[in-house]
Amino acid sequence: MRGLFGVRRYTAKVQAMQVGGPVGAPAHRLYFARNGSPVSPWHDIPLVANSSTNEYNMVVEIPRWTNAKLEINTRAPFNPITHDTKKGQLRYVANVFPYKGYIWNYGALPQTYEDPHEVDSRTQRVGDGDPIDVLEVGSRVCAEGSVHRVKVLGALALIDGAETDWKVLAIRSDDPQSSKINTVGDLEVHMPGLVAATVDWFTKYKVPDGKPPNTWAFGGVPKDNVYARDVIGTAHASWKKLVQAPHSDLALSNALVDGSPHCMGREDAGDAYNALFGRGSVPAAEQAEDANAEWHYISR
């Protein structure tokens, strides 16, 4: 696809490149590269994987059952996944009984932006300034930096302070249960209790850090997949506006977005690749998916 905001020459075969040591090292960064050029997981990976089947691309930031708060860094060139810090300390999510770490594969939808300067008409609050979060509920534990096609099931609207922080519920298209789970209702049938656990988890996860419980728009009741796709569409439009802006406090450098003033030419991209990966980078190790990682849901 070409033209304004078309992502040209894209293939999902991008390579994750680790710089600064593994997760837990303060300098840990996971960049993405393709054909001798760095690519941005936020800007260069298309949002839509297949429009006819309503499939989206998801970039996994945090594997299920882990605690390190990893995220696409919106302020670093080419937006590597980094370990978030607060007051100079690496951040880890607390284990709030009965949960261990993040209870889904946690990630982001590329080419989306929850605009902190625009009031979301659905919640009457501004966005949180990040890509939309995705909670992938399938049977496999996904690797940091892996990119997967997902099917959107619905969305929850977390209120974080004065900001809207949408949480999209999704399942990998290749998950064994994907053909049976298309809606939030299906999710309750085949994974009973997961939606309630999700609301409970997000309500309480900051309490061990001395913060009050989070609150929700719509009483914490999830919106359906049609509504969720509309939310995603709004965030995609906000991203288009952002990446077209000539100047921003955010890192908008990219290699593949036609029409963006921040799209680098081949020579500049090559120089950026050498600067990022010339020394001390290693390809991120392939991580086998754990056959014993499946949740088992027992109906009451």
Side-chain angles (χ1 to χ4, degrees), residues 35 38 86 143 177 187 207 210 258 273:
N35 294 342
K86 185 174 183 179
Q177 295 207 73
L187 191 60
V207 173
D258 286 336
Y273 182 92

Side-chain angles (χ1 to χ4, degrees), residues 18-103:
Q18 181 177 283
V19 177
V23 173
H28 171 75
R29 301 185 299 285
L30 196 73
Y31 287 95
F32 293 71
R34 176 181 176 272
N35 294 342
S37 170
V39 293
S40 164
W42 185 17
H43 306 305
D44 287 321
I45 295 175
L47 168 62
V48 177
N50 188 327
S51 58
S52 64
T53 56
N54 289 318
E55 291 175 289
Y56 297 88
N57 285 311
M58 170 192 181
V59 180
V60 176
E61 298 164 309
I62 305 170
R64 191 171 74 219
W65 297 329
T66 62
N67 297 71
K69 193 176 188 307
L70 308 173
E71 60 185 11
I72 291 173
N73 191 324
T74 59
R75 295 182 180 274
F78 286 100
N79 314 113
I81 295 175
T82 58
H83 198 153
D84 193 27
T85 60
K86 185 174 183 179
K87 297 181 179 178
Q89 300 296 313
L90 297 176
R91 294 183 67 188
Y92 294 87
V93 70
N95 294 318
V96 177
F97 184 81
Y99 312 113
K100 170 64 177 79
Y102 289 80
I103 62 174

Side-chain angles (χ1 to χ4, degrees), residues 118-248:
E118 294 288 338
V119 174
D120 187 324
S121 62
R122 305 169 185 86
T123 63
Q124 298 304 310
R125 290 172 174 82
V126 296
D128 70 348
D130 287 321
I132 283 188
D133 296 325
V134 190
L135 316 177
E136 196 282 320
V137 301
S139 59
R140 302 178 179 97
V141 173
C142 302
E144 176 200 2
S146 57
V147 180
H148 301 281
R149 287 189 176 198
V150 296
K151 184 167 52 176
V152 168
L153 310 175
L156 290 155
L158 180 71
I159 303 302
D160 191 352
E163 299 173 339
T164 304
D165 187 3
W166 285 100
K167 307 296 182 185
V168 168
L169 296 160
I171 188 168
R172 276 175 56 171
S173 299
D174 62 353
D175 189 86
Q177 295 207 73
S178 178
S179 63
K180 297 185 291 186
I181 300 176
N182 298 287
T183 67
V184 173
D186 295 337
L187 191 60
E188 193 58 39
V189 170
H190 296 285
M191 299 181 179
L194 181 58
V195 173
T198 296
V199 172
D200 188 53
W201 191 97
F202 276 111
T203 300
K204 298 174 179 176
Y205 83 107
K206 291 184 178 180
V207 173
D209 298 325
K211 295 184 178 180
N214 281 321
T215 59
W216 298 88
F218 317 116
V221 176
K223 294 296 186 179
D224 65 20
N225 53 9
V226 175
Y227 193 102
R229 289 195 292 269
D230 187 62
V231 169
I232 293 167
T234 299
H236 183 52
S238 294
W239 170 81
K240 287 182 178 181
K241 180 180 176 182
L242 174 71
V243 82
Q244 188 183 23
H247 305 289
S248 174

